[in-house]
Amino acid sequence: MDRLKKKFYEKSSALKSEFKSTIKKHGAVKVGSVNAAQVAGGMRGVQSMIWETSELDAEKGITFRGKSIPELKELLPSGKDCKEPLPEGLFWLMLVDEIPTDKDVQWLSNEWEKRSKVPQQVYDVLASLSPKTHPMTQFILAINAMQVDSEFAKRYSKGLSKNDYWDPTYEDAMNLIARLPVVAAYIYRRTYHKNIHYKADLSLDWAGNFAQMLGVTDNEDFKSLMRLYLTIHADHEGGNASAHTGHLISSTLSDAYLSYGGAMCSLAGPLHGLANQEVIKWIFAMTKELKTTKPTKEQVSKYINDTLASGQVIPGYGHAVLREPDPRFTAQKVFAEEYIRDDDYVNIVWQLFDTVPDILGALGKVKNPWPNVDAHSGALLVHYGLKEYSYYTVLFGVSRALGVMAATCWSRALGLPLERPKSVNFEWLKQAIKKNL
Ligand code: CMX
């Protein structure tokens, strides 16, 4: 048993007994209530899932095992000659609730390197797809094609004790995370760069290597951006659409590849992860229409109002939970202030930050007029030459695996059951409202 797995086993066994006995003893205790708007409105705020790895607060934003993004930047080991945290460290923290040492993180980088061989059939599946296929569709199919290697599926088919579900789930989680950058970079190169590929550099960390395989080989700042990007997108507690989809699928004992493929179908929606492509697409359309990359505040305001008047949302703004600017937006802004000087698209992102909230606020119905994570990322990627915005959600998807996979290990270790909420029809809801008025 490897060192991280052993640590996870010890921690999760202890919590499992406490979890089981607490629910057995106090399972009937009421811990909240649900109103009619929550029943009808996408279950906003309904507490109905155990998710150990991170927590989202409407005002403070995301914390990973209680640590904010600025704290992660202080506490987690960083890359060679780089100030940004390594995603390996965040995975370690999310999985076993301990800040890893440099040595731990080095071990994890090596471990993922060892596990990174992608099954041939993934390349065969991708070869059968037109390069015009949306990169998220390619990514989802590739993840599902990796299922051929699922340790969980193999061991389950031979007869696996419930107490051991966590073990092959850990193996699948580690293998999936190790392989995602290889697959994602392969999709990028086949789609946009004539199928010319870059080999992994064994001396690099997980994110640095991903930057290398994408083909941005000569820019250390881009590697730094990837380390930050893959850290801050990693988890957003369990209720967001992609994490929740993964959680639901995995509750049926579908393995990590099938459940993560499903999570990615959810991330590919424009109200969720696809918003990162929509933001820069919208900014490009704005600069094209205005015939300038240095628009005035008046021009920007008019463009925002025109978008709203056409019945569309402003991509990158608003959130189902947050009620303040997203700390992941702020982390990217801080990065840009430090690494990038006077870039027109970055400047537009900041101009939007100065303009959009007042306009959305004045509508009187938008609960959160502030930017979310997707408002900033495109301009940073464009700055480093990654202009193919249809690819952006794949980057988000590589990162999100860290949180969803760590949480999936916990779900199997705690023995969480099949998810099965109750649906009702409108008549039931009307009667319930009448009864409780
Ligand atoms: N632009 C215009 N209108 C917006 C808006 C935006 N950015 N955000 C919310 N609204 C509107 C909603 O469409 C809704 O209008 P109707 O009542 O006419 O249907 C109203 O304001 C109330 O919505 P809300 O309660 O504030 O927001 P929701 O929780 O329903 O939705 C979200 C949240 C993110 C889907 C929404 O803010 C949105 O569509 N944002 C733009 C897309 C986006 O950036 N998504 C990425 C989110 C982060 C991520 O998951 O990656």
Side-chain angles (χ1 to χ4, degrees):
M1 197 180 288
D2 74 49
R3 50 201 292 230
L4 181 59
K5 190 173 183 179
K6 187 161 175 284
K7 211 176 252 290
F8 173 68
Y9 177 62
E10 288 160 5
K11 297 243 169 184
S12 59
S13 317
L15 199 75
K16 183 182 178 180
S17 11
E18 191 192 344
F19 177 74
K20 292 269 174 203
S21 62
T22 304
I23 301 304
K24 194 169 175 198
K25 199 164 159 202
H26 302 297
V29 175
K30 291 252 181 289
V31 292
S33 60
V34 177
N35 63 34
Q38 289 171 304
V39 173
M43 299 189 280
R44 297 287 190 288
V46 178
Q47 285 136 334
S48 55
M49 205 189 307
I50 295 287
W51 197 266
E52 293 294 309
T53 49
S54 70
E55 198 188 334
L56 188 58
D57 179 86
E59 269 77 41
K60 293 190 204 124
I62 187 71
T63 48
F64 303 88
R65 296 283 188 178
K67 307 281 186 292
S68 67
I69 291 173
E71 284 168 338
L72 290 185
K73 286 182 76 167
E74 287 295 313
L75 294 168
L76 292 182
S78 50
K80 194 169 156 272
D81 304 323
C82 164
K83 283 180 285 183
E84 305 306 327
L86 291 177
E88 285 89 329
L90 178 60
F91 179 73
W92 187 288
L93 173 67
M94 288 192 290
L95 190 72
V96 294
D97 195 13
E98 279 176 25
I99 299 288
T101 61
D102 289 345
K103 207 172 131 206
D104 293 332
V105 159
Q106 182 64 49
W107 172 84
L108 191 50
S109 289
N110 293 341
E111 188 64 26
W112 284 349
E113 190 62 54
K114 278 193 250 162
R115 293 168 180 261
S116 65
K117 190 166 171 10
V118 173
Q120 180 55 40
Q121 78 164 16
V122 173
Y123 298 109
D124 298 341
V125 166
L126 290 173
S128 74
L129 301 173
S130 154
K132 288 188 184 138
T133 312
H134 191 280
M136 275 307 274
T137 309
Q138 298 189 46
F139 191 52
I140 291 157
L141 291 168
I143 292 168
N144 283 167
M146 284 199 272
Q147 197 263 350
V148 67
D149 271 0
S150 170
E151 283 301 314
F152 184 90
K154 273 182 220 156
R155 286 183 53 187
Y156 191 87
S157 72
K158 288 183 193 146
L160 181 64
S161 159
K162 282 183 178 181
N163 291 330
D164 294 332
Y165 286 170
W166 70 273
D167 182 319
T169 299
Y170 172 90
E171 297 300 329
D172 281 351
M174 291 283 279
N175 291 337
L176 176 66
I177 293 169
R179 292 165 195 184
L180 282 183
V182 182
V183 169
Y186 188 87
I187 291 170
Y188 177 70
R189 301 295 310 176
R190 84 178 285 270
T191 307
Y192 304 108
H193 294 280
K194 299 181 181 155
N195 229 349
I196 299 166
H197 299 279
Y198 282 80
K199 281 207 164 69
D201 173 349
L202 302 187
S203 69
L204 284 169
D205 51 281
W206 186 72
N209 220 347
F210 186 24
Q212 161 81 16
M213 290 185 289
L214 285 169
V216 189
T217 53
D218 53 355
N219 194 319
E220 290 308 308
D221 287 358
F222 181 67
K223 291 192 179 77
S224 297
L225 174 66
M226 280 294 101
R227 288 167 188 137
L228 177 72
Y229 184 106
L230 297 174
T231 298
I232 63 176
H233 285 77
D235 207 25
H236 222 222
E237 72 167 40
N240 70 82
S242 52
H244 185 202
T245 307
H247 181 77
L248 167 65
I249 298 175
S250 126
S251 84
T252 71
L253 298 187
S254 258
D255 59 62
Y257 298 93
L258 296 176
S259 60
Y260 201 63
M264 291 301 94
C265 290
S266 209
L267 194 73
L271 294 187
H272 190 17
L274 203 81
N276 62 6
Q277 89 166 33
E278 294 303 300
V279 168
I280 202 74
K281 194 171 147 189
W282 181 70
I283 292 176
F284 283 160
M286 171 165 74
T287 54
K288 195 171 168 205
E289 187 177 308
L290 300 177
K291 298 191 179 57
T292 176
T293 53
K294 296 179 194 298
T296 62
K297 189 172 166 62
E298 291 66 39
Q299 285 177 309
V300 168
S301 299
K302 183 176 178 314
Y303 195 79
I304 296 164
N305 282 316
D306 289 350
T307 302
L308 292 170
S310 69
Q312 298 174 68
V313 295
I314 306 301
Y317 280 77
H319 200 273
V321 178
L322 289 169
R323 296 296 176 254
E324 289 288 336
D326 190 330
R328 301 169 299 173
F329 173 88
T330 311
Q332 294 176 83
K333 187 166 181 287
V334 168
F335 182 94
E337 283 158 355
E338 197 174 340
Y339 289 79
I340 299 173
R341 247 161 229 101
D342 207 18
D343 177 292
D344 282 358
Y345 288 104
V346 170
N347 289 341
I348 291 176
V349 165
W350 295 352
Q351 211 176 3
L352 290 166
F353 182 36
D354 282 342
T355 319
V356 175
D358 283 347
I359 297 178
L360 286 184
L363 294 179
K365 65 172 182 177
V366 181
K367 295 194 190 69
N368 175 41
W370 298 108
N372 58 56
V373 67
D374 300 315
H376 210 310
S377 53
L380 298 178
L381 296 166
V382 168
H383 177 82
Y384 292 108
L386 220 87
K387 297 194 169 88
E388 302 89 352
Y389 53 74
S390 301
Y391 182 73
Y392 291 175
T393 312
V394 174
L395 296 174
F396 194 155
V398 171
S399 172
R400 189 46 61 93
L402 299 173
V404 172
M405 284 299 104
T408 304
C409 290
W410 275 97
S411 299
R412 295 287 74 81
L414 294 178
L416 297 186
L418 182 74
E419 199 177 272
R420 183 58 168 93
K422 172 84 186 120
S423 64
V424 293
N425 60 21
F426 184 38
E427 190 52 37
W428 182 94
L429 187 60
K430 282 193 293 186
Q431 293 304 327
I433 291 171
K434 213 163 134 190
K435 209 166 111 197
N436 293 290
L437 263 177

